[in-house]
Amino acid sequence: MQGNLHKPKKQQISAEESKRKQVIRVKILFATYGQIPQAGKLPSPFSLLQKELEQRGHQVDVLGHHPDMQRVYLISQTRSGPWTLNLQGQSVPKAPIKERVYDEVFRYYQKYLPHVHPWIRWREIERYTFELILSLFDLGKYDLIHTHDALATRAVWRVKPAHVPLLYQCGGLLRHDPAVAAEVTSPDSLKARYVACEEYMAATSCDQAIVPSAWLKKVWQEEFFIPDGHSAVIHRGMEFAPFLQWLQYEPYPPVEKKKGVQIIACPPGLDFQSGSTTLLDALARLKQQRDDFLCWMVGDGPWRGELEAYCREKDLTRHVLLLGERTDWPSLLAKTDIVVWPAPAVDFPLPLMEAQVAGTAIVACDSSVIQEMVRHGETGLLFEAGNSLELSERLLQLLDTPELASHLRNSSKTYGMNEWSSAKWAEQVEQLYLQMKRKHRVAAPAGEKKKSRDSVAQLFAFRLRHRLDEGGWNEFAHRLPASYLVPDFDFLRVLTETNQFDE
């Protein structure tokens, strides 16, 4: 009789747990301007976040460009069994829309803003095209939209239904993007001001933002005056199981490690911005004290020839091996005694995260971001950026003091296993989702009345050259918010501050 009394209670608890799990399930759209493979997975590392969130019971659809950049498509996936994954998708061809947008917007710029560089015009036209395409998808069915780049964030913000909260995942400053940095050569140019506007508008065109480091959060506060509570610091994670398995494999192509020789590995690549010359200068000094080391420089770059010549100049040919591009970094790491990161970083370098999980001693540049993950004397040793003398002293300290090296390896591994778990990453993002849903539900009214326009021409703030009321174009007039206009006036204010031509 006593046992029977407990059975309903057990069933009741089970039902309550099941109900709770259903309540917290979130329907999420990952959106990016970038390319996504047809399998519906974002490029790493966000494919890992997608996987972790799906394992927690959430639905994660993905929207972005096809690899050929000629279509934008949305992929939804559901499981019908332990082995079966059902994919469903929608696709919108880009060319028919962009051709019209290009023709009208380019003519507007030629007439009113002839000083604006074609590179800026291209970015504007790409975003307006992306915005129109976004409006053709049913964004209102999602509990939350999670964007992964600045362009997608501004575009989604301008076209999404008001009741859907938007989370922006900032991977770093746009001006540090190699493609942008190659184009923006002067900090006083209109290009530079435009990119700064892109940074600011992405940071403010969302209900909440994620930044990967406290350093970037501080930059946002000091340069763009973003309130402290608007961004949360959540760094990415990594999947431990396959990485730890890979540590057991031999490197391929094979790399010899001689007995009694300490291996120092440097993974950032081969260019003068990666701190390569600082490291080589430090090794030249170290060679005067110790002769039992070999440095593996992993990666490649346009400066390889110059660095090879620099090695010969410093008489380091027996102590430095340029390995080129490798896909087996974990296998190399398993044979490495010390990992060196000789240059400042703007995000947590994945090779350093992996070095910590592998339990490898670390010597790294003391930039603000690196100091967030490597604590001097506890989980690694730091040296002043560009100071080859101090770097050589740190390396000598580890080679001469095995007890210190062992302590740092153990502490680093403990820290890495606790800090870089992809499950922990997903849990932090999930908590932010739920927090945003609660806040948005209170702030937003139930239901949403949407005004429609009489004509697609009303989407543009200037007189159109061609009629756009044929071939389905009026669908945009009914789908886009009443406040939507081309051009985007927040960007237009920046572009009209000067009439000086950029080179």
Side-chain angles (χ1 to χ4, degrees):
M1 187 71 178
Q2 191 81 10
N4 291 335
L5 288 174
H6 284 289
K7 285 184 180 179
K9 185 176 180 181
K10 184 176 181 181
Q11 292 171 355
Q12 183 180 3
I13 293 173
S14 177
E16 288 176 354
E17 288 179 350
S18 177
K19 183 179 179 181
R20 178 179 60 80
K21 290 179 180 179
Q22 292 176 4
V23 169
I24 66 170
R25 187 174 184 271
V26 182
K27 191 172 186 179
I28 308 151
L29 176 64
F30 275 12
T32 177
Y33 169 78
Q35 301 168 337
I36 56 174
Q38 286 183 305
K41 293 286 186 181
L42 279 171
S44 182
F46 294 110
S47 60
L48 178 57
L49 179 59
Q50 179 186 8
K51 174 183 174 181
E52 289 283 355
L53 290 170
E54 288 172 343
Q55 288 177 348
R56 290 171 173 268
H58 305 296
Q59 178 179 336
V60 183
D61 295 351
V62 177
L63 181 149
H65 271 93
H66 185 271
D68 64 11
M69 295 299 287
Q70 298 304 308
R71 285 175 285 160
V72 175
Y73 64 132
L74 186 153
I75 297 179
S76 176
Q77 54 187 32
T78 55
R79 287 198 176 275
S80 58
W83 306 106
T84 307
L85 188 65
N86 299 320
L87 296 178
Q88 295 179 321
Q90 299 170 267
S91 176
V92 178
K94 186 176 177 181
I97 299 172
K98 184 175 179 179
E99 286 170 4
R100 289 294 187 94
V101 173
Y102 180 91
D103 187 40
E104 299 294 346
V105 174
F106 186 82
R107 186 177 63 88
Y108 171 81
Y109 274 90
Q110 285 288 85
K111 184 175 182 179
Y112 297 106
L113 299 166
H115 64 283
V116 174
H117 193 277
W119 182 77
I120 296 177
R121 298 183 196 182
W122 178 84
R123 292 177 79 83
E124 286 281 281
I125 291 167
E126 277 292 304
R127 180 160 55 82
Y128 298 143
T129 303
F130 193 58
E131 289 169 354
L132 293 178
I133 292 174
L134 282 171
S135 72
L136 299 177
F137 297 102
D138 184 10
L139 303 181
K141 69 182 180 181
Y142 294 98
D143 297 313
L144 184 139
I145 300 176
H146 186 160
T147 54
H148 296 276
D149 57 76
L151 190 150
T153 302
R154 182 60 176 175
V156 170
W157 184 255
R158 281 178 25 96
V159 305
K160 75 175 183 67
H163 71 272
V164 181
L166 173 59
L167 174 65
Y168 169 36
Q169 178 93 39
C170 177
L173 292 172
L174 270 178
R175 63 176 181 252
H176 291 152
D177 181 288
V180 173
E183 190 69 39
V184 182
T185 56
S186 170
D188 299 320
S189 66
L190 184 56
K191 290 179 188 176
R193 291 197 293 277
Y194 180 81
V195 169
C197 184
E198 284 185 300
E199 303 261 24
Y200 175 77
M201 296 313 304
T204 55
S205 298
C206 58
D207 297 287
Q208 182 75 38
I210 292 175
V211 290
S213 65
W215 170 81
L216 184 52
K217 183 182 179 78
K218 185 179 179 182
V219 171
W220 272 20
Q221 291 173 328
E222 293 179 351
E223 290 191 22
F224 304 117
F225 305 103
I226 306 300
D228 178 70
H230 187 67
S231 62
V233 178
I234 301 177
H235 53 70
R236 63 180 174 176
M238 55 178 285
E239 199 170 15
F240 289 157
F243 172 75
L244 294 174
Q245 181 66 37
W246 204 346
L247 289 175
Q248 311 304 315
Y249 302 150
E250 286 295 316
Y252 187 82
V255 179
E256 182 184 6
K257 180 181 180 180
K258 294 181 180 179
K259 187 177 180 180
V261 173
Q262 300 285 300
I263 298 297
I264 301 169
C266 177
L270 304 184
D271 60 56
F272 287 98
Q273 284 72 42
S274 67
S276 300
T277 53
T278 300
L279 174 58
L280 293 178
D281 287 341
L283 295 178
R285 293 177 181 274
L286 180 63
K287 185 170 66 76
Q288 298 173 9
Q289 305 290 325
R290 300 280 297 248
D291 195 48
D292 58 342
F293 70 88
L294 175 64
C295 180
W296 291 341
M297 299 188 74
V298 184
D300 219 328
W303 299 102
R304 183 184 180 106
E306 285 81 351
L307 291 173
E308 287 176 339
Y310 201 68
C311 285
R312 290 192 294 271
E313 178 186 330
K314 295 289 182 178
D315 192 24
L316 287 170
T317 53
R318 291 193 307 108
H319 294 280
V320 175
L321 183 60
L322 305 184
L323 296 182
E325 294 292 352
R326 304 281 300 209
T327 59
D328 58 347
W329 167 246
S331 298
L332 295 173
L333 195 54
K335 294 181 175 295
T336 298
D337 299 290
I338 303 170
V339 167
V340 178
W341 193 272
V346 295
D347 191 7
F348 294 161
L350 180 60
L352 281 191
M353 295 165 58
E354 293 172 330
Q356 289 185 325
V357 173
T360 309
I362 293 172
V363 178
C365 169
D366 66 349
S367 65
S368 298
V369 172
I370 297 295
Q371 289 186 57
E372 293 181 43
M373 65 182 302
V374 179
R375 298 168 186 165
H376 183 66
E378 296 181 24
T379 58
L381 298 179
L382 300 175
F383 69 95
E384 182 185 13
N387 191 332
S388 61
L389 173 60
E390 191 171 27
L391 173 54
S392 68
E393 291 172 348
R394 298 288 187 250
L395 293 171
L396 182 61
Q397 189 178 2
L398 287 178
L399 294 178
D400 284 348
T401 319
E403 299 82 5
L404 174 62
S406 177
H407 167 72
L408 294 179
R409 283 195 292 268
N410 293 333
S411 299
S412 182
K413 185 176 181 66
T414 301
Y415 177 83
M417 296 296 289
N418 290 334
E419 196 68 20
W420 307 127
S421 162
S422 58
K424 180 179 179 179
W425 179 25
E427 182 181 357
Q428 291 175 321
V429 173
E430 179 186 54
Q431 291 304 311
L432 194 56
Y433 286 167
L434 300 178
Q435 177 185 330
M436 289 177 65
K437 279 193 65 180
R438 287 193 296 268
K439 284 184 177 180
H440 211 75
R441 189 163 55 241
V442 172
E448 185 180 350
K449 293 183 179 179
K450 196 172 185 179
K451 297 179 182 178
S452 61
R453 296 175 173 84
D454 297 327
S455 167
V456 69
Q458 295 175 347
L459 297 174
F460 295 83
F462 52 87
R463 186 181 297 276
L464 297 180
R465 181 181 181 182
H466 302 288
R467 292 185 61 180
L468 294 178
D469 56 357
E470 301 172 348
W473 275 82
N474 274 330
E475 185 175 359
F476 295 114
H478 301 299
R479 284 181 170 271
L480 286 160
S483 60
Y484 183 84
L485 271 178
V486 173
D488 186 337
F489 275 59
D490 287 312
F491 283 87
L492 196 61
R493 278 192 285 271
V494 173
L495 298 178
T496 54
E497 285 177 354
T498 179
N499 59 2
Q500 298 297 313
F501 286 81
D502 273 356
E503 294 183 0

